[in-house]
Amino acid sequence: MNKLAIPSQLDTTILAETFRLLGDPTRLRILFFCLDEPRSVGDIATSLDLSQSLVSHHLRLLRGARLVRGNRQAKQIFYELADKHVSDMLVDMAHHVCEEGGED
Amino acid sequence: MNKLAIPSQLDTTILAETFRLLGDPTRLRILFFCLDEPRSVGDIATSLDLSQSLVSHHLRLLRGARLVRGNRQAKQIFYELADKHVSDMLVDMAHHVCEEGGED
DNA sequence: CCAACATATCAATAGTTGTTCATATGTATG
DNA sequence: CATACATATGAACAACTATTGATATGTTGG
């Protein structure tokens, strides 16, 4: 059973909203950087060579869509992917891009 | 083997480009509409209540990213998803949205 | 070749969004 | 409590993008 009814216009909008958030290189880099282990905002900014402000802004968007989740630890806040769905999808898509094979 | 190295900045950009294209409700609606069977531009426009021009514009973007593919049949051109990867991913994500379950 | 239809392209615009800089909030330590 | 550190928020701007309306290209039939 791989087919599905065409999603409602509302569902489509919600789905698009998620895709849209993934559709920015900076945000994707942040997500991949947090994929293996939780990372502090400062670590993200330094490692990815981004301003702290920019990282915070993006993290807020990602948080809003429940794509990441942050845990405070003393002064720092460590962010990680919100759930396995998200990380699995990222891994899948990364593989997809690497493969670049056209079947059919 | 579900882990992967962090994609290069270039790969990330390419990946983001794909996500970005999926991140528009109108384009997603077009994609879902073409999921089960090839659809003509006019059919898409009429069924989804979009201007012919708009549909053509979006189809061009989707074509550029090899997300859809068009076959001319007399005067009409029928568009369908480019390959199984794309359709599978759409189906997966649609399910993901419907489920809305948080594990962990 | 001309008319009618189907799709594509062009130019212009309104709305959105990523980024920056400045500033605020929150947290630990002396 | 004051200072330093870590993160978040706000305002402003430049760049981009979806949409529209008009027009062009391509295709079929008489």
Side-chain angles (χ1 to χ4, degrees), chain A residues 42 52-53 56-57 60 77 79:
Chain A
Q52 177 267 315
S53 174
S56 247
H57 277 295
R60 177 151 73 135
I77 300 183
Y79 281 91

Side-chain angles (χ1 to χ4, degrees), chain A residues 6-15, chain B residues 25-26 29 48-50:
Chain A
I6 294 177
S8 73
Q9 195 155 344
L10 176 62
D11 283 345
T12 306
T13 301
I14 295 173
L15 187 54
Chain B
T26 303
R29 291 212 295 145
L48 269 46
D49 195 35
L50 304 169

Side-chain angles (χ1 to χ4, degrees), chain B residues 42 52-53 56-57 60 77 79:
Chain B
Q52 178 267 318
S53 175
S56 248
H57 276 295
R60 176 151 73 136
I77 300 183
Y79 281 91

Side-chain angles (χ1 to χ4, degrees), chain B residues 21-92:
Chain B
L21 285 170
L22 299 174
D24 177 76
T26 303
R27 276 193 295 267
L28 263 190
R29 291 212 295 145
I30 292 174
L31 287 174
F32 276 114
F33 187 65
C34 299
L35 203 157
D36 289 334
E37 44 176 328
R39 307 278 194 172
S40 75
V41 179
D43 189 10
I44 299 172
T46 301
S47 302
L48 269 46
D49 195 35
L50 304 169
S51 79
Q52 178 267 318
S53 175
L54 183 55
V55 173
S56 248
H57 276 295
H58 283 307
L59 284 175
R60 176 151 73 136
L61 297 176
L62 295 172
R63 243 184 309 153
R66 300 185 181 272
L67 287 169
V68 301
R69 180 180 41 171
N71 296 317
R72 170 147 245 149
Q73 209 134 352
K75 283 194 256 191
Q76 296 175 311
I77 300 183
F78 289 81
Y79 281 91
E80 60 189 329
L81 299 211
D83 60 52
K84 201 161 182 312
H85 252 147
V86 179
S87 44
D88 280 352
M89 182 195 54
L90 281 182
V91 171
D92 283 348

